[in-house]
Amino acid sequence: MTVRNPRQKRTWLIAAAAAGAMILSACGSSDAANGTTAPAVGSAAEGMSSAAAGNSSANEAMTSGTDQAMSSGTDQAMTSGSAAASSGGAITAVATATTATSDELAAAKAGLIKAGTLTVCTSLPYPPFESADINGNVVGFEMDVMDILAKDLGVEKSVIDTDFTGIKSGQAMTSGICDIAAAAMTINPERQAVINFSDPYYEATQALLVKADSTVKGLEDLSGQSVSAQAGTTGLTYAKDNAEKYGYTVIEFQNITDVEQAVGSGNAAAGFHDDGPLFDFVKQNPDFRVATTFDTGEQYGFGAAKDNTNLIAVTNAMIKKIKEDGTYDKIKTEYFPVG
C-alpha cells in the first residue's frame, strides 16, 4: 500500500486551483500510525479536478485507496461506486469497498466457461469446508467464500463434485470442467507447476485420527500397524514419508470417508489427514479422537487454470477484502468455533 506525501498533495492542489480547476474533497483517510486505510466516501476522490483531467490524476485521487483499486487511472478509482461526470461540471460518487477494478472483473467474467456462471470444482465430502446438506446443496466454509466471489463477478455459482486427483493435477480447470477449484488444496511447488493458485486463505496442518479408546499417541506407537490416508493429499505424502522411520504400512483410499471408516473398522490403527476436517469429524463422532497434530506449515489456496490470471486477480482482491473488513473471521468462526 502506498501512502503519498501530504506536502506533495498540497502542492498539487494549489497548482490545480491556480489553473481554475474545480477540486472536490474526499472523505477517505489514512492512518499513518497503524498503516490502515479507510475507504473514501462522499464526492469523487480527492484531487480530481474535472471530467477532462480525471483520467490523468486518478492515482492522486484517493489517498486511502489501494494501488489495485486505482490501477485503471479512471473512474475505476471509485471501485464499486459510480462516477458521473456532467459536461464541465462536478464529478460526484460514493466509493465503497470492492474486490477489484471493473476492468479486472469484466475480464474475469468474460473468461468463465459458462456465461453468467462461476463453475466451482470441489471434492465431496470434506466438512466443514464443503459437504452436501439434506437438500443436496453444497455448503461449507469454502462455499461461503465462493458465494462472495460469484457475487463480486455478478454471476451465479455452480458446484461440480469431482475426484481430488483431477483437481490437484490441474486437469479439472485446464480441461474446462470448472473455472476454479475450492477443495481445501494445499499450495506446493508440484501443484503450482500446473495450477494458478490464489493467495493463501487458510493455515492448515496434518492430524492423526484414532479410535477414542486407542492407546496411540503419536507415530512412534504405530510400528507394525497399518494407517490410512487419502489419495493425492499431503496427508498421504506425510504418511509415506514417515512410514519407514516408524515402521507402519500405508493404505491408500480415494475419499476421506474411507480413511475414517478404515480407522473405525479397525483395518487401520490411525488415519492421516488435514486437521480441519478431522477435528470436525471427531466433534460429530465421539468414538474417535485426534491423537496428535503435525505442524507442516501448509496453506490452502483456490486454484484456476495456469493461464487464468484474470480470475485469480479478482479472487486475490476478494480474499484481501474479506480479511480486512472482518467477513473472513465471521465465516471462519461459524465453521471453526473458537474453543
Side-chain angles (χ1 to χ4, degrees):
M1 180 180 298
T2 301
V3 179
R4 291 172 175 78
N5 189 314
R7 186 186 303 272
Q8 293 175 340
K9 187 179 78 171
R10 191 178 300 112
T11 300
W12 180 87
L13 290 174
I14 293 171
M22 180 178 293
I23 307 300
L24 300 179
S25 61
C27 296
S29 63
S30 297
D31 186 345
N34 60 21
T36 60
T37 58
V41 294
S43 62
E46 184 176 351
M48 277 192 178
S49 59
S50 66
N55 289 349
S56 63
S57 60
N59 282 334
E60 289 286 341
M62 189 180 294
T63 59
S64 63
T66 62
D67 288 339
Q68 185 172 28
M70 305 301 299
S71 63
S72 67
T74 63
D75 59 341
Q76 309 246 2
M78 306 313 300
T79 63
S80 61
S82 59
S86 57
S87 201
I91 304 174
T92 59
V94 176
T96 59
T98 187
T99 58
T101 66
S102 59
D103 280 351
E104 290 172 330
L105 290 166
K109 187 174 180 179
L112 298 176
I113 60 174
K114 181 180 179 182
T117 302
L118 175 69
T119 307
V120 181
C121 274
T122 194
S123 185
L124 301 175
Y126 205 79
F129 292 93
E130 45 264 339
S131 59
D133 65 14
I134 58 174
N135 297 316
N137 300 313
V138 182
V139 298
F141 172 74
E142 291 181 318
M143 295 300 108
D144 284 5
V145 177
M146 287 291 100
D147 283 338
I148 297 172
L149 180 60
K151 183 177 180 181
D152 287 344
L153 289 167
V155 299
E156 299 295 322
K157 183 194 75 179
S158 176
V159 180
I160 293 178
D161 178 21
T162 187
D163 287 342
F164 185 72
T165 51
I167 292 175
K168 62 109 176 182
S169 68
Q171 182 181 3
M173 290 76 79
T174 57
S175 63
I177 294 175
C178 56
D179 299 300
I180 193 166
M185 184 164 46
T186 299
I187 303 169
N188 62 32
E190 179 184 2
R191 294 171 183 173
Q192 285 177 311
V194 292
I195 294 172
N196 192 352
F197 275 102
S198 71
D199 292 337
Y201 62 89
Y202 184 85
E203 305 288 332
T205 191
Q206 292 302 310
L208 191 68
L209 178 72
V210 298
K211 291 293 294 296
D213 58 0
S214 172
T215 60
V216 172
K217 296 180 179 180
L219 301 186
E220 63 277 5
D221 301 318
L222 293 171
S223 179
Q225 302 187 71
S226 296
V227 301
S228 57
Q230 183 181 2
T233 65
T234 51
L236 177 64
T237 301
Y238 190 85
K240 287 183 174 180
D241 286 348
N242 288 279
E244 184 176 354
K245 178 180 179 180
Y246 292 100
Y248 57 74
T249 302
V250 180
I251 308 172
E252 185 175 331
F253 293 97
Q254 189 63 39
N255 298 305
I256 186 175
T257 51
D258 298 326
V259 173
E260 296 159 350
Q261 289 172 6
V263 176
S265 66
N267 289 332
F272 287 82
H273 213 78
D274 293 359
D275 60 342
L278 288 190
F279 277 115
D280 183 76
F281 177 75
V282 299
K283 183 173 63 177
Q284 309 296 331
N285 298 274
D287 290 341
F288 295 81
R289 65 181 176 87
V290 172
T292 188
T293 59
F294 314 100
D295 187 5
T296 53
E298 295 178 50
Q299 296 178 312
Y300 292 165
F302 299 115
K306 193 68 178 175
D307 61 353
N308 197 347
T309 57
N310 294 320
L311 183 56
I312 291 300
V314 172
T315 303
N316 286 341
M318 177 272 295
I319 292 171
K320 182 179 180 182
K321 180 195 71 172
I322 65 174
K323 285 187 174 181
E324 289 179 347
D325 68 14
T327 302
Y328 177 88
D329 288 337
K330 182 178 180 181
I331 297 173
K332 187 176 180 181
T333 300
E334 178 181 351
Y335 292 100
F336 303 94
V338 177

